[in-house]
Amino acid sequence: MTSRESTVAMETEKEVNSPAQCEGHTVSVKGLKENWQKWCSEHQRNQKHNPFSHDSRHSVGVYQAKLDYGRPLQGSLTEQRGQEAHTHISKEIKKLCEAIKTIGELKEKDGGDGGSNRKVIAVEFGKLFQHYVAISNKLVGILLRARKQRLVEFEGEMLWQGKDDHVVIFLVE
């Protein structure tokens, strides 16, 4: 080994064993290795409980569905964002119902299942679309969500501007 090669080898060894500077923080290879090992161990532990993992060492024999399956961890940012989105959508649905009350008219609606007719507020989709466009650009999505919550009723799966302008939307509330 030449003196030049030994000098380069010593400098490389110093760089590996001594802490490095990274954006004002001291980072050592040992610290990075420990963090990586910690992450790997945690990941392997989680994969043992993941029914979709290809890890053959499952610690759970038969997967039992939990009540919180498919829901974010409590207290996580994801849960917080979901709650905020739910609150926002609820406000949008409330605005939609108020808009229907404002521009709608009382009409007779068949009570269904042999019941008598009842008076409900109704509006045509085209009229609602023209009014609601000044409030929000998400009318169809909000209508679908309101129907899912049984606040409004209308025929068809989806409403299209122009094509479905004469479809009547009933406010159930």
Side-chain angles (χ1 to χ4, degrees), residues 18-35:
S18 66
Q21 290 292 325
C22 181
E23 293 186 28
H25 300 286
T26 303
V27 179
S28 68
V29 173
K30 182 178 178 185
L32 291 172
K33 181 181 173 186
E34 288 172 358
N35 284 341

Side-chain angles (χ1 to χ4, degrees), residues 96 100 103 123-132 139 169:
L96 171 68
I100 292 173
I103 64 171
V123 65
E124 288 186 344
F125 176 67
K127 184 176 178 182
L128 180 62
F129 190 91
Q130 291 302 319
H131 175 78
Y132 201 77
L139 174 62
I169 299 167

Side-chain angles (χ1 to χ4, degrees), residues 65 90 97 99 136 148 162 168:
S90 296
C97 292
S136 174
K148 189 174 182 180
V168 179

Side-chain angles (χ1 to χ4, degrees), residues 37-70:
Q37 282 304 117
K38 180 181 170 186
W39 181 86
C40 286
S41 299
E42 187 176 308
H43 180 71
Q44 286 175 341
R45 200 172 333 108
N46 289 339
Q47 287 301 90
K48 287 181 183 179
H49 299 289
N50 181 352
F52 303 107
S53 162
H54 295 293
D55 190 340
S56 60
R57 299 167 288 154
H58 291 293
S59 62
V60 181
V62 176
Y63 180 73
Q64 299 286 328
K66 297 179 184 176
L67 293 175
D68 61 347
Y69 180 75

Side-chain angles (χ1 to χ4, degrees), residues 7-21 26-33:
T7 305
V8 169
M10 286 175 45
E11 288 175 0
T12 305
E13 189 174 317
K14 283 181 188 176
E15 289 174 7
V16 170
N17 292 330
S18 66
Q21 290 292 325
T26 303
V27 179
S28 68
V29 173
K30 182 178 178 185
L32 291 172
K33 181 181 173 186

Side-chain angles (χ1 to χ4, degrees), residues 63-155:
Y63 180 73
Q64 299 286 328
K66 297 179 184 176
L67 293 175
D68 61 347
Y69 180 75
R71 300 203 179 267
L73 296 174
Q74 283 191 337
S76 68
L77 286 174
T78 302
E79 181 189 39
Q80 181 183 353
R81 285 189 292 266
Q83 289 171 347
E84 289 170 1
H86 179 74
T87 302
H88 178 72
I89 300 262
S90 296
K91 288 178 185 176
E92 288 270 344
I93 290 172
K94 187 176 179 181
K95 283 181 192 175
L96 171 68
C97 292
E98 289 171 2
I100 292 173
K101 284 179 188 177
T102 302
I103 64 171
E105 301 166 359
L106 273 174
K107 290 191 178 181
E108 295 259 340
K109 181 173 186 331
D110 182 22
D113 62 352
S116 63
N117 290 349
R118 56 191 172 136
K119 295 223 179 230
V120 293
I121 297 175
V123 65
E124 288 186 344
F125 176 67
K127 184 176 178 182
L128 180 62
F129 190 91
Q130 291 302 319
H131 175 78
Y132 201 77
V133 76
I135 300 170
S136 174
N137 62 351
K138 304 175 218 53
L139 174 62
V140 175
I142 299 299
L143 273 171
L144 292 174
R145 185 64 93 108
R147 178 169 64 181
K148 189 174 182 180
Q149 295 179 12
R150 296 189 171 108
L151 297 173
V152 299
E153 291 177 356
F154 56 88
E155 288 187 24

